[in-house]
Amino acid sequence: MKIKTILFTLFSAAALHLSAAEGLAIKNGESVAFFNDNVGNYIPLIKEGLKSIGVDIKVIHAGRNGQTAPLMNARVEKDVISKKPDWMLLSCGVNDIWYAIWRKDTPLEQYKKEMADLLLKVEKAGIKIMVLTPGIITEDPKYKSNKRLAEYSAWLRSFAKERGYRLADVNVEMMAFITNSYQNVKNPRDYKNKLMQDNGRNTAFSGDKLIARSILNAFGATAEQIDGIEKKVWYYMPAREYRVLFNIPTLEAAQKEVERRKEYSVGKFIQQCVVDALEK
Amino acid sequence: MKIRNFLSATLLFLTAACAVSAAELPIKNGDSIAFLGDSITYGGWSNPYGYLHLVVSGLKDAGVNVTPIPAGVSGHKSINMNGRVQRDVIAKGPAWMTLSCGVNDVWHGKRGVPLDKFKIEITELLDKVDKAGIKVMILTATMITENVNGEFNKNMIPYNNWLRQIAKERGYLLADLSADMIKIITEVKAKEPDRRGYILTSDGTHMGVDGNKMMARGILRAFGVTEEQIRKTEENTWRYIPCKSQLITLNTPQIEKLEKICAERGITPDQFIRECVGKALNISNTGDQK
């Protein structure tokens, strides 16, 4: 009787997974090269989210922080094509516009040339492609760089359409979000659900979730599935890092305690103290 | 008899007050200090272990309560500081001003400020401050890279020599932080030739925890605080200032709980996190106690 129940539960769970995964373009066991110009904090959200609906993917981290179109084009052979993934998710553009003293920005014409070249090489290698339009720079919709980013995105969108790639239109969705927020709160610092960290450039957890939702949607997941993932999976995933300063006596005492217990590092011990206090 | 008692009691009281040594310092209870400078001074205020905080707590331990007026702006050179001294210092009416300038004048090379121009700008700046009746302490400019014989540090020498000279000429207090820093770096490197990483700074120029202590020590010394008193402050006060970071990663329900607690109690997440750890370890002073 009990075994029957267990078997039934297992079977129905599997069936649920099967039906859940059926409409998706990405299949169980496929490998995905994440080729992004940023840290890619959303990658674990995709991995765990898909896993929860029965699609276990193999992640290939090909992203590197601070990269531009010419740099990514130069290394696509080595870091993506030679790894023979089933999919490539490409995200590039923010650094092509973001000013930094140590690099040149990429004019639109050059960006088009490099990106088209990169994408056609990947296409030729038989790798399935999803293109992400670049995010935003600061949460001010009127910021000059955001206007430029929209132009770069527009080209990328039309190129993806022309070539039949899947498209996660992150730029449009983020712009819509901040434009909407901006109507209610004039100062981005007062936003409740900030998409970006205070530096205006790296995504905060809300931004990571927005990107992950957009990617899942582009893979063909339904809104209902994505809501379920957000509620059941992402809610319990690491969402924010707190960098906190401690004084020497505290750290010395923590070190002693760690040595006495012979099991933790000071960092893990401190993490555990906070989690215990919050969950009691 | 009674009067005699009273007198001797008063005498005792006075002697005790002198022992705190506050009476001997040129800076008085209730004075304010404007700290004019560049990114090093900015960091001296934005970091909880920055030198402005250390100077204030060091003076407090010596019996003098002062109010800091932070006036550090990143990237600023003599010409910028001269431009804003009226607004950022004089208008605030401090009793004292410390001046930390020269690093960017040298570091920025061609876009920097040559020595002749530096002298003109700083002289003008100091004239304005003198005229306003604000007392001055000059800090010599600290190192650019921790390489004592590096190009930048060689170029810095005449700037600092001139700063020492004008301090002497005008009778200002002088905290020779350049000399202090070179001495410490040279000693540490001689003692530990294999040592990796920065000694006083976080990037070769901006001060880390020990660099800020070095600056505060120099300033307190220049104010006349004794070595013994500074040592006591280091042991009893500075040691309890949070200065080393640890990463804590939380999920959404934990963050929601944390934010709720902080809102209810009117404290910051950092304070709550330090308190949790302090409680688990039976530490009463985690750096937030007044």
Side-chain angles (χ1 to χ4, degrees):
Chain A
M1 183 68 174
K2 261 187 186 169
I3 288 172
K4 238 183 215 172
T5 322
I6 291 169
L7 276 178
F8 178 75
T9 319
L10 275 176
F11 178 75
S12 51
L16 195 73
H17 275 165
L18 274 180
S19 62
E22 240 169 28
L24 290 181
I26 189 162
K27 303 295 170 212
N28 193 17
E30 284 192 321
S31 58
V32 183
F34 286 87
F35 198 37
N36 37 283
D37 65 350
N38 48 46
V39 199
N41 286 328
Y42 51 87
I43 297 172
L45 302 185
I46 299 289
K47 162 102 179 142
E48 296 303 318
L50 285 174
K51 201 174 169 186
S52 76
I53 54 172
V55 181
D56 201 0
I57 59 166
K58 184 170 171 272
V59 171
I60 299 168
H61 289 278
R64 216 181 275 174
N65 223 351
Q67 294 244 302
T68 56
L71 292 173
M72 303 220 1
N73 188 20
R75 68 186 182 89
V76 66
E77 179 64 47
K78 181 167 71 84
D79 291 345
V80 177
I81 299 174
S82 74
K83 305 268 161 81
K84 299 193 169 82
D86 296 301
W87 285 89
M88 175 189 74
L89 264 61
L90 175 68
S91 168
C92 173
V94 168
N95 299 308
D96 294 275
I97 287 162
W98 182 275
Y99 169 78
I101 203 158
W102 60 86
R103 64 160 178 260
K104 287 183 188 162
D105 66 350
T106 316
L108 183 55
E109 283 313 308
Q110 193 196 353
Y111 178 81
K112 289 181 190 173
K113 204 177 116 261
E114 301 278 1
M115 292 291 272
D117 191 39
L118 185 166
L119 285 162
L120 292 176
K121 280 189 267 186
V122 176
E123 192 186 321
K124 208 172 148 202
I127 298 163
K128 287 172 274 187
I129 296 174
M130 183 189 294
V131 170
L132 278 65
T133 50
I136 49 174
I137 300 175
T138 80
E139 297 194 42
D140 179 357
K142 295 195 182 98
Y143 189 53
K144 211 172 79 191
S145 296
N146 279 332
K147 295 215 167 119
R148 268 183 84 195
L149 264 184
E151 288 169 31
Y152 284 53
S153 298
W155 172 80
L156 200 53
R157 187 177 307 118
S158 69
F159 189 78
K161 206 170 174 188
E162 192 186 304
R163 305 297 310 172
Y165 306 144
R166 287 185 179 262
L167 178 79
D169 209 341
V170 174
N171 182 266
V172 159
E173 288 171 31
M174 284 195 161
M175 282 302 282
F177 183 95
I178 57 174
T179 308
N180 193 26
S181 313
Y182 211 73
Q183 285 176 341
N184 307 323
V185 184
K186 285 280 176 271
N187 189 345
R189 262 178 303 186
D190 299 331
Y191 289 168
K192 271 262 157 68
N193 267 317
K194 283 169 67 77
L195 293 183
M196 312 300 279
Q197 295 175 20
D198 288 338
N199 63 17
R201 180 186 182 190
N202 296 107
T203 44
F205 193 58
S206 297
D208 295 332
K209 281 196 284 191
L210 183 145
I211 297 172
R213 288 187 72 102
S214 182
I215 292 171
L216 290 177
N217 178 48
F219 272 132
T222 63
E224 205 183 352
Q225 277 176 325
I226 300 174
D227 286 343
I229 287 172
E230 177 153 9
K231 225 167 144 187
K232 289 178 200 136
V233 183
W234 294 346
Y235 189 62
Y236 297 100
M237 284 178 70
R240 197 190 297 169
E241 280 181 345
Y242 293 81
R243 187 173 285 282
V244 180
L245 294 169
F246 291 91
N247 64 19
I248 305 292
T250 307
L251 292 176
E252 280 176 359
Q255 179 63 39
K256 259 189 201 160
E257 184 62 16
V258 163
E259 278 164 20
R260 194 181 66 78
R261 294 188 190 189
K262 291 180 186 160
E263 50 181 333
Y264 292 112
S265 71
V266 169
K268 275 188 192 162
F269 172 78
I270 287 175
Q271 166 88 23
Q272 201 54 50
C273 288
V274 180
V275 169
D276 287 348
L278 287 170
E279 294 196 335
K280 101 185 151 193
Chain B
M1 185 68 170
K2 263 188 183 170
I3 288 173
R4 203 183 272 172
N5 267 346
F6 175 71
L7 275 181
S8 56
T10 316
L11 202 68
L12 259 175
F13 175 73
L14 281 177
T15 330
C18 284
V20 186
S21 82
E24 295 155 24
L25 301 187
I27 188 159
K28 305 296 172 215
N29 221 355
D31 278 358
S32 53
I33 315 174
F35 294 86
L36 183 59
D38 46 37
S39 54
I40 295 171
T41 301
Y42 175 81
W45 179 249
S46 64
N47 292 315
Y49 50 80
Y51 81 88
L52 276 69
H53 300 285
L54 303 184
V55 167
V56 170
S57 61
L59 286 172
K60 191 179 172 201
D61 288 352
V64 184
N65 285 316
V66 296
T67 310
I69 300 171
V73 176
S74 298
H76 271 199
K77 299 170 275 214
S78 52
I79 183 165
N80 312 106
M81 293 191 209
N82 186 20
R84 68 184 171 86
V85 66
Q86 175 63 39
R87 177 169 52 99
D88 288 353
V89 176
I90 299 171
K92 310 248 161 105
W96 282 89
M97 177 191 80
T98 67
L99 174 68
S100 169
C101 184
V103 170
N104 292 313
D105 297 73
V106 173
W107 201 6
H108 291 190
K110 278 180 187 163
R111 290 185 300 119
V113 178
L115 183 57
D116 293 348
K117 180 94 172 118
F118 179 78
K119 288 180 186 173
I120 294 170
E121 296 289 343
I122 294 291
T123 304
E124 210 177 290
L125 186 163
L126 291 170
D127 285 345
K128 291 182 211 170
V129 175
D130 279 349
K131 207 175 151 200
I134 298 164
K135 283 168 273 188
V136 175
M137 181 189 292
I138 301 274
L139 319 181
T140 50
T142 50
M143 295 164 72
I144 307 171
T145 79
E146 292 191 353
N147 177 3
V148 176
N149 299 313
E151 200 61 34
F152 288 124
N153 289 321
K154 277 187 184 157
N155 294 342
M156 185 72 93
I157 295 172
Y159 287 72
N160 277 333
N161 280 340
W162 181 79
L163 284 172
R164 289 180 192 112
Q165 184 195 323
I166 194 155
K168 201 171 177 187
E169 276 171 21
R170 297 196 177 200
Y172 298 147
L173 295 185
L174 175 77
D176 200 343
L177 304 184
S178 167
D180 293 351
M181 186 166 180
I182 290 170
K183 184 164 175 267
I184 293 176
I185 300 258
T186 310
E187 280 173 7
V188 172
K189 282 188 174 169
K191 225 184 271 175
E192 306 168 48
D194 299 333
R195 183 179 167 128
R196 280 164 170 246
Y198 296 109
I199 296 166
L200 294 177
T201 65
S202 58
D203 59 3
T205 305
H206 298 96
M207 296 301 160
V209 181
D210 290 334
N212 274 298
K213 282 189 192 166
M214 178 276 296
M215 291 184 76
R217 256 186 250 121
I219 293 169
L220 291 174
R221 220 179 277 138
F223 272 132
V225 180
T226 62
E227 293 297 333
E228 173 62 15
Q229 179 58 43
I230 295 173
R231 199 192 55 73
K232 275 188 198 159
T233 289
E234 284 196 43
E235 188 58 32
N236 302 329
T237 308
W238 292 354
R239 212 172 114 78
Y240 291 91
I241 295 174
C243 63
K244 276 197 168 176
S245 71
Q246 293 281 337
L247 270 188
I248 290 111
T249 311
L250 301 179
N251 66 19
T252 309
Q254 289 158 351
I255 293 168
E256 284 167 356
K257 181 105 184 267
L258 174 67
E259 282 174 353
K260 192 169 159 245
I261 294 173
C262 289
E264 277 168 9
R265 294 181 46 197
I267 57 175
T268 66
D270 289 33
Q271 285 172 339
F272 177 78
I273 287 169
R274 278 193 284 268
E275 186 188 286
C276 292
V277 179
K279 271 186 191 161
L281 291 166
N282 260 324
I283 299 259
S284 55
N285 188 348
T286 53
D288 297 309
Q289 288 72 12
K290 283 286 161 200

